[in-house]
Amino acid sequence: MQRGKFITIDGVDGAGKSTQIDFICDYLAKKNINVILTREPGGTELGEKIRTLLISTDTQSMHADTELLLMFAARNEHIKTKITPALEKGDWVLSDRFTDASYAYQGGGRGLSVELITLLEKWVLQDFTPDVTLLLDVPVALGMSRVESRSRKDRIELETHDFFNRVRNGYIERSKQFPKRIKLIDASKTLEQTTQQIKTILQTL
Ligand code: TMP
Protein backbone atom coordinates (compact mmCIF):
# COMPACT_ATOMS: atom_id res chain seq x y z
CA MET A 1 0.00 0.00 0.00
CA GLN A 2 1.44 3.35 -1.05
CA ARG A 3 1.41 6.01 1.66
CA GLY A 4 -0.93 8.93 0.92
CA LYS A 5 0.20 12.53 0.49
CA PHE A 6 -0.20 15.13 3.19
CA ILE A 7 -1.16 18.58 1.93
CA THR A 8 -1.63 21.62 4.15
CA ILE A 9 -3.10 24.99 3.29
CA ASP A 10 -2.34 28.07 5.33
CA GLY A 11 -2.32 31.87 5.33
CA VAL A 12 -3.54 34.90 7.26
CA ASP A 13 -7.22 35.06 8.18
CA GLY A 14 -9.24 36.08 5.13
CA ALA A 15 -6.73 34.68 2.59
CA GLY A 16 -9.51 32.67 0.90
CA LYS A 17 -8.62 29.13 2.03
CA SER A 18 -12.20 27.80 2.03
CA THR A 19 -12.83 28.35 -1.67
CA GLN A 20 -9.51 26.80 -2.63
CA ILE A 21 -10.10 23.83 -0.30
CA ASP A 22 -13.34 23.09 -2.20
CA PHE A 23 -11.39 23.23 -5.45
CA ILE A 24 -8.63 20.88 -4.19
CA CYS A 25 -11.16 18.31 -2.89
CA ASP A 26 -13.00 18.32 -6.25
CA TYR A 27 -9.74 18.11 -8.18
CA LEU A 28 -8.48 15.09 -6.20
CA ALA A 29 -11.88 13.36 -6.26
CA LYS A 30 -11.87 13.60 -10.06
CA LYS A 31 -8.51 11.83 -10.01
CA ASN A 32 -10.09 9.08 -7.84
CA ILE A 33 -7.93 10.02 -4.87
CA ASN A 34 -9.58 9.50 -1.51
CA VAL A 35 -8.92 12.71 0.43
CA ILE A 36 -9.69 13.35 4.09
CA LEU A 37 -10.35 17.02 4.78
CA THR A 38 -9.42 18.13 8.26
CA ARG A 39 -8.40 21.28 10.11
CA GLU A 40 -6.29 22.81 12.86
CA PRO A 41 -6.81 23.57 15.56
CA GLY A 42 -9.27 20.67 15.66
CA GLY A 43 -9.76 17.68 13.41
CA THR A 44 -10.51 15.16 16.20
CA GLU A 45 -13.22 15.06 18.87
CA LEU A 46 -10.78 16.23 21.53
CA GLY A 47 -9.05 18.66 19.16
CA GLU A 48 -12.38 20.35 18.35
CA LYS A 49 -12.97 20.88 22.09
CA ILE A 50 -9.51 22.46 22.36
CA ARG A 51 -10.37 24.58 19.31
CA THR A 52 -13.45 25.92 21.08
CA LEU A 53 -11.26 27.01 24.01
CA LEU A 54 -8.75 28.60 21.65
CA ILE A 55 -11.07 30.68 19.50
CA SER A 56 -13.85 31.49 21.94
CA THR A 57 -14.11 35.15 22.86
CA ASP A 58 -14.89 33.96 26.44
CA THR A 59 -11.17 33.19 26.90
CA GLN A 60 -9.91 36.64 25.88
CA SER A 61 -7.13 36.72 28.48
CA MET A 62 -5.34 33.47 27.52
CA HIS A 63 -1.56 33.56 28.05
CA ALA A 64 0.41 33.24 24.80
CA ASP A 65 2.29 30.16 26.09
CA THR A 66 -1.01 28.47 26.94
CA GLU A 67 -2.25 29.23 23.43
CA LEU A 68 0.87 27.62 21.92
CA LEU A 69 0.63 24.55 24.16
CA LEU A 70 -3.04 24.04 23.34
CA MET A 71 -2.29 24.29 19.60
CA PHE A 72 0.32 21.54 19.99
CA ALA A 73 -1.88 19.43 22.29
CA ALA A 74 -4.60 19.44 19.63
CA ARG A 75 -1.98 18.77 16.93
CA ASN A 76 -0.55 15.79 18.81
CA GLU A 77 -3.99 14.16 18.94
CA HIS A 78 -4.60 15.07 15.30
CA ILE A 79 -1.38 13.57 13.94
CA LYS A 80 -1.38 10.42 16.02
CA THR A 81 -5.05 9.46 15.87
CA LYS A 82 -6.16 10.81 12.51
CA ILE A 83 -3.53 12.00 10.03
CA THR A 84 -0.92 9.23 10.30
CA PRO A 85 -3.45 6.34 10.27
CA ALA A 86 -5.13 7.83 7.17
CA LEU A 87 -1.83 8.29 5.32
CA GLU A 88 -0.80 4.74 6.20
CA LYS A 89 -4.07 3.47 4.70
CA GLY A 90 -3.14 5.23 1.47
CA ASP A 91 -5.64 8.09 1.82
CA TRP A 92 -4.52 11.64 1.14
CA VAL A 93 -5.02 14.23 3.87
CA LEU A 94 -5.72 17.92 3.32
CA SER A 95 -5.38 19.98 6.49
CA ASP A 96 -6.77 23.49 6.74
CA ARG A 97 -3.76 24.91 8.66
CA PHE A 98 -0.90 23.06 10.35
CA THR A 99 2.38 23.73 12.22
CA ASP A 100 3.42 26.68 10.03
CA ALA A 101 0.45 28.54 11.59
CA SER A 102 2.05 28.17 15.04
CA TYR A 103 5.27 29.76 13.75
CA ALA A 104 3.30 32.56 12.07
CA TYR A 105 0.65 33.28 14.75
CA GLN A 106 2.32 32.36 18.03
CA GLY A 107 5.86 33.13 16.78
CA GLY A 108 5.29 36.12 14.51
CA GLY A 109 1.99 37.42 15.91
CA ARG A 110 2.49 36.82 19.63
CA GLY A 111 6.29 37.13 19.57
CA LEU A 112 7.05 33.74 21.15
CA SER A 113 10.54 32.40 20.52
CA VAL A 114 11.12 30.21 17.50
CA GLU A 115 13.30 27.93 19.66
CA LEU A 116 10.33 27.20 21.92
CA ILE A 117 8.07 26.35 18.97
CA THR A 118 10.80 24.18 17.41
CA LEU A 119 11.14 22.32 20.70
CA LEU A 120 7.43 21.42 20.68
CA GLU A 121 7.55 20.61 16.99
CA LYS A 122 10.43 18.17 17.55
CA TRP A 123 8.57 16.52 20.41
CA VAL A 124 5.17 16.20 18.78
CA LEU A 125 6.04 15.81 15.09
CA GLN A 126 9.54 14.32 15.20
CA ASP A 127 10.38 14.40 11.49
CA PHE A 128 6.78 14.32 10.27
CA THR A 129 6.15 17.07 7.74
CA PRO A 130 3.63 17.87 4.98
CA ASP A 131 4.48 16.83 1.43
CA VAL A 132 3.43 20.27 0.30
CA THR A 133 2.09 23.42 1.94
CA LEU A 134 0.00 25.87 -0.06
CA LEU A 135 0.57 29.28 1.49
CA LEU A 136 -2.09 31.74 0.36
CA ASP A 137 -0.62 35.20 0.63
CA VAL A 138 -2.72 38.37 0.62
CA PRO A 139 -2.05 41.89 1.89
CA VAL A 140 -3.35 42.11 5.45
CA ALA A 141 -5.84 44.89 4.56
CA LEU A 142 -7.50 42.59 2.02
CA GLY A 143 -7.62 39.64 4.43
CA MET A 144 -9.05 41.81 7.18
CA SER A 145 -11.70 43.29 4.91
CA ARG A 146 -12.89 39.73 4.13
CA VAL A 147 -12.95 38.86 7.83
CA GLU A 148 -14.91 42.08 8.57
CA SER A 149 -17.74 40.83 6.39
CA ARG A 150 -18.19 37.74 8.61
CA SER A 151 -21.02 37.92 11.10
CA ARG A 152 -18.95 37.25 14.25
CA LYS A 153 -15.20 37.37 14.63
CA ASP A 154 -13.43 34.79 16.82
CA ARG A 155 -10.85 35.59 19.53
CA ILE A 156 -7.90 35.58 17.12
CA GLU A 157 -9.70 37.39 14.29
CA LEU A 158 -10.24 40.26 16.74
CA GLU A 159 -6.48 40.97 16.71
CA THR A 160 -4.98 44.16 15.28
CA HIS A 161 -3.69 45.01 11.82
CA ASP A 162 -0.13 45.02 13.25
CA PHE A 163 -0.61 41.53 14.66
CA PHE A 164 -1.68 40.21 11.24
CA ASN A 165 1.22 41.97 9.55
CA ARG A 166 3.58 40.07 11.85
CA VAL A 167 1.68 36.84 11.10
CA ARG A 168 1.99 37.43 7.36
CA ASN A 169 5.71 38.15 7.67
CA GLY A 170 6.07 35.01 9.78
CA TYR A 171 4.54 32.94 6.98
CA ILE A 172 6.73 34.57 4.33
CA GLU A 173 9.81 33.85 6.45
CA ARG A 174 8.79 30.18 6.70
CA SER A 175 8.35 29.96 2.92
CA LYS A 176 11.88 31.34 2.47
CA GLN A 177 13.22 28.83 4.96
CA PHE A 178 11.46 25.87 3.32
CA PRO A 179 11.09 26.87 -0.33
CA LYS A 180 10.72 23.30 -1.61
CA ARG A 181 7.80 22.42 0.66
CA ILE A 182 6.02 25.75 1.11
CA LYS A 183 4.59 27.18 -2.10
CA LEU A 184 3.87 30.86 -1.76
CA ILE A 185 0.70 31.64 -3.73
CA ASP A 186 -0.41 35.15 -4.60
CA ALA A 187 -4.06 34.96 -3.48
CA SER A 188 -4.83 38.62 -4.11
CA LYS A 189 -5.49 37.81 -7.77
CA THR A 190 -8.83 36.60 -9.15
CA LEU A 191 -10.22 33.31 -7.86
CA GLU A 192 -9.42 31.61 -11.17
CA GLN A 193 -5.82 32.84 -11.17
CA THR A 194 -5.32 31.59 -7.61
CA THR A 195 -6.90 28.23 -8.44
CA GLN A 196 -4.66 27.90 -11.48
CA GLN A 197 -1.53 28.38 -9.36
CA ILE A 198 -2.75 25.62 -7.01
CA LYS A 199 -3.62 23.28 -9.88
CA THR A 200 -0.10 23.61 -11.28
CA ILE A 201 1.34 22.60 -7.89
CA LEU A 202 -1.04 19.66 -7.44
CA GLN A 203 -0.01 18.32 -10.85
CA THR A 204 3.52 17.88 -9.55
CA LEU A 205 2.47 15.59 -6.64
P1 TMP B 1 -9.28 29.15 11.08
O1 TMP B 1 -9.97 30.46 11.26
O2 TMP B 1 -8.46 29.10 9.85
O3 TMP B 1 -10.21 28.00 11.20
O4 TMP B 1 -8.20 28.99 12.27
C1 TMP B 1 -8.49 29.34 13.56
C2 TMP B 1 -7.51 30.35 14.09
O5 TMP B 1 -6.45 29.67 14.76
C3 TMP B 1 -6.87 31.26 13.06
O6 TMP B 1 -7.04 32.59 13.49
C4 TMP B 1 -5.41 30.90 13.11
C5 TMP B 1 -5.22 30.32 14.48
N1 TMP B 1 -4.12 29.35 14.63
C6 TMP B 1 -3.02 29.69 15.41
O7 TMP B 1 -2.97 30.79 15.96
N2 TMP B 1 -2.01 28.79 15.55
C7 TMP B 1 -2.05 27.55 15.00
O8 TMP B 1 -1.11 26.76 15.16
C8 TMP B 1 -3.21 27.20 14.20
C9 TMP B 1 -3.29 25.85 13.58
C10 TMP B 1 -4.20 28.13 14.05
Side-chain angles (χ1 to χ4, degrees):
M1 171 66 69
Q2 205 184 351
R3 193 181 165 88
K5 302 267 183 205
F6 180 36
I7 305 170
T8 64
I9 184 162
D10 239 302
V12 289
D13 289 83
K17 288 185 285 114
S18 307
T19 317
Q20 299 307 332
I21 285 170
D22 290 346
F23 164 75
I24 298 166
C25 289
D26 281 356
Y27 177 87
L28 295 177
K30 283 193 191 120
K31 296 208 169 293
N32 288 324
I33 293 171
N34 200 26
V35 62
I36 312 266
L37 173 61
T38 188
R39 67 175 179 181
E40 288 208 348
T44 62
E45 201 181 331
L46 176 59
E48 288 295 324
K49 288 183 175 153
I50 298 174
R51 178 189 176 90
T52 304
L53 295 173
L54 278 163
I55 67 173
S56 164
T57 48
D58 296 342
T59 44
Q60 203 57 260
S61 64
M62 187 183 299
H63 192 284
D65 286 345
T66 310
E67 186 178 270
L68 177 68
L69 288 164
L70 286 175
M71 292 292 176
F72 271 94
R75 181 164 300 131
N76 183 61
E77 197 68 16
H78 196 203
I79 295 169
K80 289 167 189 168
T81 70
K82 186 168 179 181
I83 301 176
T84 304
L87 296 174
E88 280 171 357
K89 255 178 60 196
D91 289 338
W92 286 35
V93 177
L94 171 61
S95 185
D96 179 352
R97 297 197 188 280
F98 198 60
T99 310
D100 297 304
S102 297
Y103 282 94
Y105 280 80
Q106 282 66 53
R110 302 279 186 229
L112 295 184
S113 86
V114 170
E115 289 72 29
L116 205 62
I117 304 172
T118 307
L119 202 74
L120 289 172
E121 184 183 22
K122 288 220 166 90
W123 179 20
V124 171
L125 280 83
Q126 285 151 27
D127 53 6
F128 181 73
T129 185
D131 291 287
V132 72
T133 296
L134 306 165
L135 174 54
L136 302 188
D137 182 56
V138 290
V140 167
L142 176 59
M144 287 189 87
S145 70
R146 289 176 180 163
V147 169
E148 287 304 328
S149 62
R150 292 179 192 161
S151 52
R152 270 184 66 196
K153 292 200 261 184
D154 66 36
R155 188 179 65 87
I156 298 173
E157 287 169 344
L158 284 167
E159 280 297 338
T160 61
H161 195 281
D162 278 355
F163 174 89
F164 287 111
N165 258 326
R166 294 196 299 276
V167 171
R168 183 187 184 199
N169 291 335
Y171 274 127
I172 292 172
E173 268 313 303
R174 291 284 291 168
S175 73
K176 286 185 184 153
Q177 211 181 333
F178 302 99
K180 272 183 78 177
R181 172 176 66 85
I182 305 181
K183 312 291 183 196
L184 188 71
I185 294 161
D186 181 356
S188 62
K189 301 192 170 174
T190 64
L191 223 62
E192 290 71 28
Q193 284 169 319
T194 306
T195 305
Q196 189 51 49
Q197 294 175 76
I198 291 180
K199 192 171 167 185
T200 306
I201 296 163
L202 294 178
Q203 280 163 347
T204 66
L205 289 178

